[in-house]
Amino acid sequence: MIVIKSNASEVDPVIIEAETLEYVVLDGLNLHRALLSNANLKGASFIEANLRSAELDGADLSYANMSKTALMNVLFQHANLTFVNFQDSKPISANFTGANLQNADFTRADVFAARFTDANLAGAIMLCERIEDSSFDNAKFNDQTVWPEGFDPLAKGAIRVE
């Protein structure tokens, strides 16, 4: 049994009958302010979950599904987010500093005020809403990274790599 704790006093701990959080299904759960730093959540599903203000720094979320998820103010610093589906999610003011976002899909995600500083965006699909209001200082991208038409990542401080 696994217990996911929260910093929010109004949210009861989530108890999961599982040995691991890999490929766990947490769809639709209220995980507001969940404490999941450095957790192994590879392949987990969070569809339509509430992860507002969660701490996921250093976590392995590779291949996770976070579509339609509330991700406002989430800490994703130095997390492994390769191949994560962020479609239609709300990572508003999320902190992706130093995160590995290779091949992540942000189609229609609202990234207002998100921080992608030093993130790896190689091959990522960045067709997101309010991208012009996000920071990309020293974020790395390659020719496979997809940007919205008219958006200039170099002007936002991103760096093209081979």
Side-chain angles (χ1 to χ4, degrees), residues 9 29 40 56 75 77 84 115 122 138 147:
S9 59
L29 291 181
N40 182 358
L56 290 159
L75 296 178
Q77 293 169 304
V84 171
R115 292 177 301 283
N138 297 312
W147 301 100

Side-chain angles (χ1 to χ4, degrees), residues 19-146:
E19 295 295 317
T20 178
L21 291 175
E22 279 190 55
Y23 300 98
V24 69
V25 176
L26 302 170
D27 298 345
L29 291 181
N30 182 6
L31 299 169
H32 176 64
R33 298 182 69 184
L35 303 173
L36 293 163
S37 296
N38 302 307
N40 182 358
L41 291 153
K42 181 178 181 176
S45 182
F46 296 92
I47 299 170
E48 296 184 343
N50 175 6
L51 278 164
R52 290 178 303 126
S53 300
E55 295 181 18
L56 290 159
D57 46 306
D60 182 356
L61 288 147
S62 55
Y63 298 93
N65 189 345
M66 295 193 151
S67 61
K68 301 180 182 177
T69 302
L71 299 168
M72 292 74 106
N73 300 306
V74 172
L75 296 178
F76 286 114
Q77 293 169 304
H78 306 288
N80 180 1
L81 301 165
T82 56
F83 292 96
V84 171
N85 177 359
F86 288 104
Q87 291 181 17
D88 301 300
S89 65
K90 303 275 188 239
I92 297 167
S93 296
N95 187 342
F96 293 102
T97 298
N100 185 354
L101 288 155
Q102 281 187 290
N103 300 301
D105 186 351
F106 283 91
T107 302
R108 296 176 307 277
D110 186 350
V111 296
F112 179 77
R115 292 177 301 283
F116 293 95
T117 305
D118 297 315
N120 180 353
L121 299 171
I125 300 171
M126 300 300 295
L127 298 175
C128 30
E129 298 175 16
R130 302 199 287 178
I131 191 170
E132 64 281 351
D133 296 312
S134 295
S135 61
F136 291 90
D137 293 334
N138 297 312
K140 313 297 187 281
F141 71 97
N142 63 10
D143 290 337
Q144 286 72 50
T145 306
V146 179

